[in-house]
């Protein structure tokens, strides 16, 4: 008791760092969504006091200091050059849009605005801190799921002597934490830290008018794509569901064996946050981290399958007994890429600069006769390759290729593969006239964190190309009709290559159908899924998925037959009920549709599409108040849902509530894609035929020899260190940041009480 009383007295006498009084700094954090409770500044040394955490959590610290979070700010050359260019073009004020997630120490010490920009340095101590421990663990509120750093942070409460320089007092502080860790745990590990909604605050991006002087657009978005997938366990419509639902931390904060303070059963969460950034450890020379990230990526993130040859209307599967080919024959080859160990689209994140592609190589008589998806001598990717990335067009109609978020206007295409889905890549390959014995085809999926040109932009033209990680491979040997059909390998025995997709035939057909369906080949998908039903008559997947294609084609009677077959195999499956409700709605059987959707929502109460479907059924039945409530449930899950806003506009107009109708009309206009935007890409399509072809949902790769890859014009202007700032944010005038109108044109409206958001994590009042 005497000891505790003495500690209490000493704590009272201790003088912690004073709160920063803002005199010359910038406390307007907008256009970042991040903020402090009183909009005041924070103590940068305290916010980045990582060594304080290291004393008790050395293993977590050791992992974090090698992570992409540690190098999120101007200690990351790829990020730094992008922001330097952005600041020079549109001013440093706008770069605050990035800072809540990338540069919290710079932002919250008031060094991002006009008042401090003249003395700011990208090499300052604050600018080199990245995302520190307290950058996450001092967050006290997640405002919403809108992203862009949508959180509130504070200077966290500490035990006595947390800031003491005296070693004895520091030891007492550590002892107090170990004696009674509850306050420490409550302060730094809140319930929302374990949720995907917490991760969404930074791993979801909105491009706002204050940034681009154009239009609201959704950018990088790990959260919604995970939410709408089978991985989340919240959506009924997925093609595949994992045995157990997973959230962000299940993959990106895996268990790490550790005896540090706070471990659970000898394990802590791995604060390396393994993901896909192979560039940062490479440029640091951190081979151990580079290897660990590569192993993470190679662990069945995707698979590739040399699935079949198309001969007319026949699909000849490349299985245990591959078909014969003849010299000079033109092969239409179907390659299927399937996402597996990923809970969001592949690729995601910086999808406009991630370089992810599919390759195909053909070898006969010891010589390569077909090559697609290869790098040239300068390290540039074959422009005719099948790319799994997002091709972005800027405001001038050119390719946005230096990560300039303020210039993003429209996507020419987005070839990311959703989680638990597939993409079919179509190749046309001619067997050499002199082929004998056999020809071998090899397909691969490859990943490089940044393109060759963006690497030059960030590091200089003389910098080495970033490493390429091969995520998946598949090989098949096709016998050539005629003599010498056996191919001798090694010791003279004939051996088939190891295949990249060992799945059962029905699963391979199912993936093929998914890929065709997502490309819009509805008849091809229906035929593939009919084959699934024949190969696996005890599985409902073939019938259910065929119904998806039949519904999309408007063949509702056929879809009803397929759904009845799926129901017979697996009674009361919510997936069947959902699509049966779609058919019933389209046939005008509203009571049947409502009954099925009610069953679906009993098991999937957070499926926004199911709520939208119920809202539409109720709207069609003239039950406007109930429809408004259903659409309100959607907006409680996703406040940006276009379908819900549009239909609530109609519902409230039907009810005579013009003000509420105006609220949702304004939201619909805000979140809706600019329909004129795609016209801007017309000239680019003519100038870049490879990008134009890649934007087509169904296209064929038939170039046996890769065409040359040309460098963009700006590469020639780069210096030895890549892009070098001209301090344009100081020397040029930049327009003021636009503020978004809060109220719709119809005038002020009371806040809707039809729904309450379900993902708010607010500090108790």
């Amino acid at each position: 008791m005497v000891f505790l009383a003495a500690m209490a007295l000493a704590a009272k006498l201790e003088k912690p760092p004073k709160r920063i009084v803002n005199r010359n700094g910038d406390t307007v954090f907008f256009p970042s969504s991040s903020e402090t409770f009183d909009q005041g500044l924070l103590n940068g040394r305290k916010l980045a006091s990582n060594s304080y955490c290291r004393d008790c959590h050395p293993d977590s610290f050791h992992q974090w200091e090698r992570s992409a979070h540690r190098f999120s700010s101007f200690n990351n050359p790829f990020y730094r050059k992008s922001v330097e260019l952005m600041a020079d073009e549109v001013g440093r004020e706008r770069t605050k849009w990035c800072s809540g997630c990338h540069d919290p120490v710079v932002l919250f010490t008031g060094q991002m605005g006009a008042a401090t920009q003249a003395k700011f340095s990208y090499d300052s101590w604050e600018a080199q801190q990245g995302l520190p421990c307290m950058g996450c663990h001092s967050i006290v509120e997640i405002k919403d799921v809108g992203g862009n750093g949508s959180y509130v942070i504070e200077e966290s409460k500490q035990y006595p002597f947390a800031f003491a320089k005296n070693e004895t007092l520091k030891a007492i502080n550590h002892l107090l934490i170990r004696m009674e860790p509850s306050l420490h745990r409550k302060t730094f590990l809140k319930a929302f830290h374990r949720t995907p909604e917490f991760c969404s605050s930074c791993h979801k991006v909105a491009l706002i008018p204050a940034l681009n002087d154009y239009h609201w657009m959704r950018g990088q978005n790990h959260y919604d794509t995970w939410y709408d997938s089978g991985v989340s366990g919240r959506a009924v419509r997925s093609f595949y569901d994992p045995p157990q639902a997973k959230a962000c931390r299940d993959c990106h904060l895996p268990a790490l064996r550790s005896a540090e303070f706070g471990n659970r059963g000898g394990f802590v969460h791995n604060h390396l946050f393994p993901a896909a950034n192979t560039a940062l450890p490479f440029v640091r020379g951190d081979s151990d981290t580079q290897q660990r990230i590569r192993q993470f990526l190679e662990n069945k993130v995707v698979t590739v399958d040399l699935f079949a040859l198309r001969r007319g209307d026949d699909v000849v599967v490349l299985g245990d007994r591959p078909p014969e080919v003849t010299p000079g024959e033109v092969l239409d080859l179907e390659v299927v890429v399937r996402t597996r160990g990923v809970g969001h689209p592949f690729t995601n994140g910086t999808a406009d600069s991630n370089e992810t592609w599919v390759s195909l190589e053909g070898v006969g008589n010891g010589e390569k006769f077909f090559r697609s998806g290869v790098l040239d001598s300068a390290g540039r990717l074959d422009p005719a390759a099948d790319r799994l990335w997002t091709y972005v067009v800027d405001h001038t109609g050119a390719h946005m290729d230096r990560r300039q978020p303020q210039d993003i206007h429209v996507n020419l295409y987005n070839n990311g593969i959703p989680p638990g889905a597939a993409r079919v890549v179509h190749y046309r390959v001619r067997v050499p006239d002199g082929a004998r014995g056999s020809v071998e085809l090899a397909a691969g999926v490859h990943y490089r964190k940044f393109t060759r040109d963006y690497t030059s932009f960030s590091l200089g033209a003389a910098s080495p190309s970033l490493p390429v990680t091969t995520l998946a491979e598949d090989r098949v040997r096709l016998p050539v009709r005629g003599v010498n059909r056996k191919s001798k390998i090694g010791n003279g025995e004939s051996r088939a290559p190891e295949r990249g997709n060992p799945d059962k035939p029905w699963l391979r057909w199912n993936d093929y159908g998914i890929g065709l369906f997502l490309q819009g080949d509805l008849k091809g998908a229906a035929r593939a899924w009919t084959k699934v039903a024949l190969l696996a008559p005890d599985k409902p997947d073939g019938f259910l998925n065929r119904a998806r294609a039949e519904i999309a084609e408007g063949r509702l009677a056929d879809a009803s037959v397929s759904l009845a077959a799926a129901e017979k195999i697996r009674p009361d499956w919510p997936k069947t009920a959902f699509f049966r409700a779609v058919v019933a709605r389209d046939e005008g059987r509203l009571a049947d549709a409502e009954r099925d959707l009610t069953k679906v929502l009993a098991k999937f109460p957070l499926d926004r599409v199911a709520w939208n479907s119920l809202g539409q059924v109720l709207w069609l039945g003239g039950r406007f108040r109930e429809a408004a409530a259903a659409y309100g449930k959607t907006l409680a899950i996703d406040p940006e849902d276009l379908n819900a806003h549009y239909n609530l506009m109609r519902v409230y107009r039907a009810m005579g509530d013009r003000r509420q109708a105006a609220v949702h009309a304004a939201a619909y206009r805000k979140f809706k894609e600019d329909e004129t935007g795609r016209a801007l890409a017309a000239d680019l399509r003519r100038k870049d035929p490879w990008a134009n072809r890649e934007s087509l949902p169904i296209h064929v790769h038939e170039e046996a020899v890769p065409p040359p890859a040309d460098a963009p014009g700006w590469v020639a202007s780069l210096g030895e260190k890549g892009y070098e700032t001209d301090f344009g944010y100081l020397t040029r005038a930049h327009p003021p940041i636009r503020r978004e109108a809060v109220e719709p044109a119809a005038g002020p409206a009371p806040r809707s009480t039809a729904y309450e958001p379900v993902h708010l994590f607010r500090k108790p009042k």
Side-chain angles (χ1 to χ4, degrees):
M1 291 294 292
V2 174
F3 173 77
L4 292 176
M7 292 303 98
L9 178 62
K12 206 165 189 178
L13 296 175
E14 183 191 17
K15 295 181 179 180
K18 292 182 179 179
R19 181 122 175 112
I20 300 295
V21 178
N22 180 41
R23 291 190 175 89
N24 299 312
D26 173 30
T27 57
V28 180
F29 303 129
F30 183 81
S32 171
S33 295
S34 309
E35 57 184 310
T36 59
F37 270 115
D38 59 1
Q39 301 302 308
L41 302 180
L42 301 182
N43 184 313
R45 294 286 171 177
K46 182 177 178 182
L47 184 58
S49 58
N50 305 307
S51 59
Y52 175 73
C53 306
R54 179 187 59 199
D55 292 343
C56 292
H57 304 288
D59 293 337
S60 295
F61 175 86
H62 178 72
Q63 301 304 319
W64 165 83
E65 69 176 347
R66 289 159 174 76
S67 72
H69 283 182
R70 171 67 182 90
F71 296 94
S72 68
S73 188
F74 300 110
N75 52 0
N76 174 343
F78 303 98
Y79 172 75
R80 173 172 175 164
K81 293 306 176 72
S82 174
V83 175
E84 286 181 353
L85 175 63
M86 179 180 175
D88 289 343
E89 290 188 349
V90 297
R92 272 189 54 76
E93 291 275 3
R94 278 179 169 79
T95 68
K96 287 186 285 187
W97 176 82
C98 313
S99 296
C101 295
H102 283 274
D103 324 299
V105 180
V106 182
L107 178 67
F108 293 123
T109 55
Q111 299 184 59
M112 295 298 292
T116 57
Q117 65 181 8
K119 59 183 179 181
F120 172 78
S121 168
Y122 291 111
D123 297 312
S124 68
W125 178 86
E126 292 87 351
Q128 300 298 306
Q129 296 311 301
L131 179 61
C133 306
M134 299 294 183
C136 285
H137 289 282
S138 286
I139 291 175
V140 291
E141 179 183 317
I142 302 302
K143 298 192 294 183
D144 52 44
V145 290
N148 284 18
S150 187
Y151 64 78
V152 180
I153 193 169
E154 70 175 3
E155 289 187 357
S156 300
K157 297 179 178 64
Q158 302 279 2
Y159 281 74
F161 314 123
F163 313 108
K165 295 182 179 180
N166 182 281
E167 292 299 323
T168 301
L169 295 180
K170 287 173 63 177
I172 292 173
N173 171 264
H174 294 165
L175 177 62
L176 291 174
I177 293 174
R178 290 176 180 272
M179 289 175 62
E180 181 47 66
S182 59
L183 174 62
H184 187 79
R185 185 183 303 115
K186 182 179 179 180
T187 300
F188 294 111
L189 185 60
K190 300 174 179 64
F192 63 70
H193 280 117
R194 297 183 170 92
T195 68
E197 287 70 33
F198 172 71
C199 303
S200 80
S201 63
C202 279
H203 291 277
K204 184 176 179 181
V205 172
L207 306 166
I208 58 179
L211 171 74
N212 59 21
D213 284 322
Y214 167 50
H215 185 67
W216 186 98
M217 291 182 287
R218 178 56 68 198
Q220 170 186 335
N221 190 354
H222 291 84
Y223 176 75
D224 289 344
T225 51
W226 162 83
Y227 194 104
D228 284 336
S229 76
V231 180
S232 72
R234 303 181 186 185
V236 72
R237 309 167 315 282
S238 56
F239 293 107
Y240 292 108
D241 296 323
Q244 183 176 352
K246 291 186 176 183
C248 313
R249 66 181 190 149
D250 294 314
C251 293
H252 300 293
L253 272 167
L256 175 73
R257 188 173 294 279
S258 172
E260 73 177 27
F261 181 64
N263 76 83
R264 296 290 182 90
F267 290 91
V268 296
H269 287 290
N270 188 346
H271 281 62
L272 177 64
F273 306 99
N277 197 321
T278 54
L280 288 175
F282 175 76
V283 298
R284 296 198 314 270
D286 184 352
S287 58
D288 178 65
T289 300
Q290 188 180 340
Q291 173 68 10
R292 291 167 66 187
I293 298 299
R294 184 165 60 246
Q295 290 173 346
F296 177 82
L297 289 170
E298 292 172 344
N299 187 22
K300 292 294 184 184
V301 170
V302 298
T303 55
V304 62
D305 183 6
L306 287 158
F307 175 67
L309 300 179
R310 294 190 67 153
R311 287 173 166 165
D313 291 333
D314 294 331
V315 178
V316 183
V317 175
L318 302 179
D320 295 334
R321 300 182 64 182
E324 289 184 328
V325 298
T326 58
E329 181 181 0
V330 176
L331 308 177
D332 285 324
L333 179 65
E334 305 285 78
V335 176
V336 179
V337 181
R338 157 86 186 278
T339 50
R340 294 179 183 267
V342 61
H344 45 72
F346 183 83
T347 183
N348 208 327
T350 55
D352 56 284
S353 57
N354 290 352
E355 201 161 47
T356 308
W357 71 96
V358 182
S359 69
L360 181 71
E361 184 176 271
V363 178
N365 300 338
E367 296 183 354
K368 297 175 181 178
F369 63 86
F370 188 94
R371 299 176 72 217
S372 176
V374 297
L375 302 178
D376 65 15
S377 59
R380 290 190 178 88
L381 177 61
D382 159 17
D386 192 80
R387 296 172 181 252
L388 308 178
W389 73 340
T390 302
Y391 191 106
V392 180
V393 180
D394 68 18
H395 298 314
T396 69
H399 184 197
M400 194 286 295
D401 51 7
R402 283 165 289 175
R403 310 237 65 245
Q404 318 105 275
Q406 74 279 4
D407 293 334
I408 293 175
H409 196 88
V410 67
N411 290 343
L412 182 65
Y413 63 83
N414 180 352
N415 285 348
I417 307 173
R423 173 176 174 82
V424 179
V425 187
H426 310 278
Y427 291 96
R428 185 161 293 145
V429 179
R430 187 177 187 276
V431 179
D433 291 332
R436 301 181 64 189
S438 65
V439 294
E440 185 168 299
L441 300 174
V445 178
H446 313 276
Y447 167 81
R448 181 165 63 176
K449 177 57 185 171
F450 295 114
T451 67
R452 171 63 255 185
D453 293 321
Y454 189 74
T455 302
S456 298
F457 170 77
S458 303
L459 305 177
S463 63
S465 291
L466 298 178
V468 174
T469 303
T470 296
L471 307 178
E473 292 180 292
D474 191 23
R475 294 177 181 272
V476 66
R477 187 174 298 117
L478 304 178
V480 176
R481 183 175 290 115
V483 297
N484 297 326
R485 287 176 51 185
K486 288 190 176 181
S487 177
K488 302 295 182 180
I489 303 175
N491 59 8
E493 295 180 356
S494 179
R495 184 175 70 251
E498 183 177 349
R499 298 303 304 273
N501 182 2
D503 282 345
K504 295 178 180 179
W506 78 267
L507 281 169
R508 295 178 67 198
W509 275 99
N510 199 46
D511 292 344
Y512 181 56
I514 292 169
L516 295 178
F517 180 76
L518 294 179
Q519 289 179 347
D521 184 356
L522 303 180
K523 292 188 181 299
R527 287 193 294 267
W529 284 327
T530 296
K531 187 70 173 179
V532 172
L534 292 172
L535 291 171
D538 59 330
K539 307 287 185 185
D541 303 68
F543 295 108
L544 177 84
N545 288 336
R546 187 175 68 189
R548 297 179 196 251
E550 290 163 342
I551 291 170
E553 283 193 283
R555 296 192 286 130
L556 301 183
D558 292 337
S560 293
V561 173
S562 297
L563 291 169
E567 177 70 20
K568 185 176 181 180
I569 296 169
R570 186 172 177 178
D572 298 322
W573 196 22
K575 292 183 190 294
T576 306
F578 176 82
F579 289 105
R580 192 167 56 218
V582 173
V583 173
R585 179 201 64 201
D586 290 352
E587 291 182 338
R589 295 182 287 107
L590 301 183
D592 292 342
E594 182 180 359
R595 187 182 309 111
D596 272 331
L597 287 170
T598 301
K599 291 179 181 178
V600 169
L601 287 165
K603 294 188 177 180
F604 291 88
L606 295 177
D607 189 323
R608 64 183 181 87
V609 176
W611 281 112
N612 274 342
S613 297
L614 180 60
Q616 187 176 18
V617 168
L618 295 169
W619 155 261
L620 291 171
R623 296 154 63 183
F624 299 142
R625 292 193 180 279
E626 293 171 87
Y631 287 124
K633 292 285 190 179
T634 298
L635 294 182
I637 296 167
D638 180 8
E640 301 161 13
D641 190 279
L642 271 182
N643 186 305
H645 282 300
Y646 177 77
N647 284 296
L648 278 169
M649 174 189 70
R650 296 201 300 168
V651 167
Y652 283 119
R653 283 177 179 173
M655 294 169 62
D657 190 337
R658 292 182 176 274
R659 286 193 171 185
Q660 284 288 6
V663 168
H664 293 288
Y668 177 73
R669 287 192 297 270
K670 172 183 176 179
F671 296 126
K672 188 178 186 300
E673 179 184 359
D674 176 14
E675 294 179 350
T676 67
R678 295 192 175 276
L680 188 68
D683 285 342
L684 188 147
R685 288 181 180 276
R686 287 188 286 269
K687 294 175 183 177
D688 190 341
W690 306 119
N692 179 54
R693 183 180 74 178
E694 196 64 15
S695 72
L696 304 176
I698 302 174
H699 59 272
V700 178
H701 299 264
E702 55 186 351
E703 295 75 32
V705 178
D710 298 324
W714 53 262
V715 170
S717 66
L718 295 176
E720 292 183 1
K721 297 180 180 180
Y723 178 78
E724 296 186 57
T725 177
D726 62 359
F727 299 98
Y729 60 88
L730 293 174
T731 60
R732 288 190 287 273
H734 301 288
I737 296 176
R738 289 172 56 181
R739 290 281 179 169
E740 184 178 2
V742 177
E743 301 294 347
R751 179 177 175 178
S752 171
T753 57
Y755 62 92
E756 286 295 330
V758 297
H759 294 315
L760 297 184
F761 300 93
R762 298 197 178 278
K763 184 179 181 181
K765 295 182 179 179

